[in-house]
Amino acid sequence: MEFDKAVPGGPCWTELGTDDLEGAKRFYAELFGWRPETDPRQEAGCYTVAHLGDAAVAALSRLYQESQPVAWNVSFAVTDADAAARRVEEAGGTVVVGPMDIFDAGRFAVALDPTGAAFQLWEPRAFPGAGLLGAPGALGWVELATRDTGRATGFYSAVLGWTAEPSEQYTEFIVGGQRFGGAADMGDRFPPEVPPHWLPYFAVEDVDATAEAAVAAGGTVRAAPMTVPDGPRIAVLSDPRGAAFGVFRAEGTG
């Protein structure tokens, strides 16, 4: 990710929906050094913000409904959530929640792109989103797994103003001239029942050591550490409840 703070149209936040909030707090604190702080207000539903130092970097929350899968979600910053939600519908997507105010923090919506991938829109007010991006332990890349890269690319361009740089194997997304994520065709790598989805990648100093630590803490390695040609070293892991996330070696960490 080529920016260290959230920008309009770019990823600004990621949050885990889980059926084991206390276990998630322990797992990610051990893996990334996060300091979790749970909102004490009853109406906040135990929403927990993870910090690195003073910077908010991610959130952990209980599942909002029984049908919600245990999974990480990605939010994208917008200047007007209502206008962005209208663009979602006009471009062939579906708004499934909101837009709605979240206290004085911001305005929020959940949507599906035309290929079926869920994502979130965030219009910041008191809360701008992640205070740190790209540093070890923080969100540093987002990746869309989809069965129709072309359709998805056109959709996000219309809704969030992205441009795309496709290659034979991968499509990179750019906003404001800065790269922040990409799209990969699901192909035969996923069973048919697995829907398109967004996957957050967190920067780490050592991908192999992080994978080993995840397993020791009860997690799983889904895609073993590998070095992308002309790119970083990466791995895909999952926490003890099965929520998938990626890790990659942060620049300047050797």
Side-chain angles (χ1 to χ4, degrees), residues 42-213:
Q42 183 175 359
E43 60 270 31
C46 294
Y47 193 81
T48 299
V49 174
H51 296 78
L52 284 173
D54 293 330
V57 292
L60 312 171
S61 73
R62 292 176 174 172
L63 299 179
Y64 299 118
Q65 53 190 11
E66 291 184 6
S67 61
Q68 182 184 352
V70 173
W72 280 95
N73 303 292
V74 175
S75 296
F76 298 95
V78 294
T79 56
D80 185 327
D82 295 82
R86 289 192 294 271
R87 291 196 298 273
V88 166
E89 300 281 1
E90 291 167 358
T94 305
V95 177
V96 294
V97 175
M100 60 187 291
D101 290 334
I102 306 297
F103 304 115
D104 64 346
R107 193 156 174 80
F108 167 82
V110 180
L112 296 174
D113 72 24
T115 77
F119 66 100
Q120 299 175 168
L121 301 169
W122 181 249
E123 177 190 334
R125 291 175 183 166
F127 182 70
L132 187 66
L133 293 169
L139 181 67
W141 191 257
V142 294
E143 184 174 273
L144 174 66
T146 180
R147 294 184 174 89
D148 192 339
T149 301
R151 190 177 186 191
T153 297
F155 170 81
Y156 290 105
S157 176
V159 174
L160 295 170
W162 300 352
T163 57
E165 189 173 280
S167 66
E168 186 175 344
Q169 301 295 330
Y170 199 74
T171 296
E172 290 195 345
F173 293 133
I174 303 164
V175 68
Q178 301 180 94
R179 300 169 193 273
F180 63 87
D185 187 271
M186 296 176 74
D188 297 329
R189 297 181 299 122
F190 294 87
E193 64 271 16
V194 175
H197 56 274
W198 281 96
L199 185 73
Y201 276 76
F202 299 98
V204 296
E205 294 182 350
D206 187 322
V207 169
D208 298 72
T210 301
E212 292 175 4

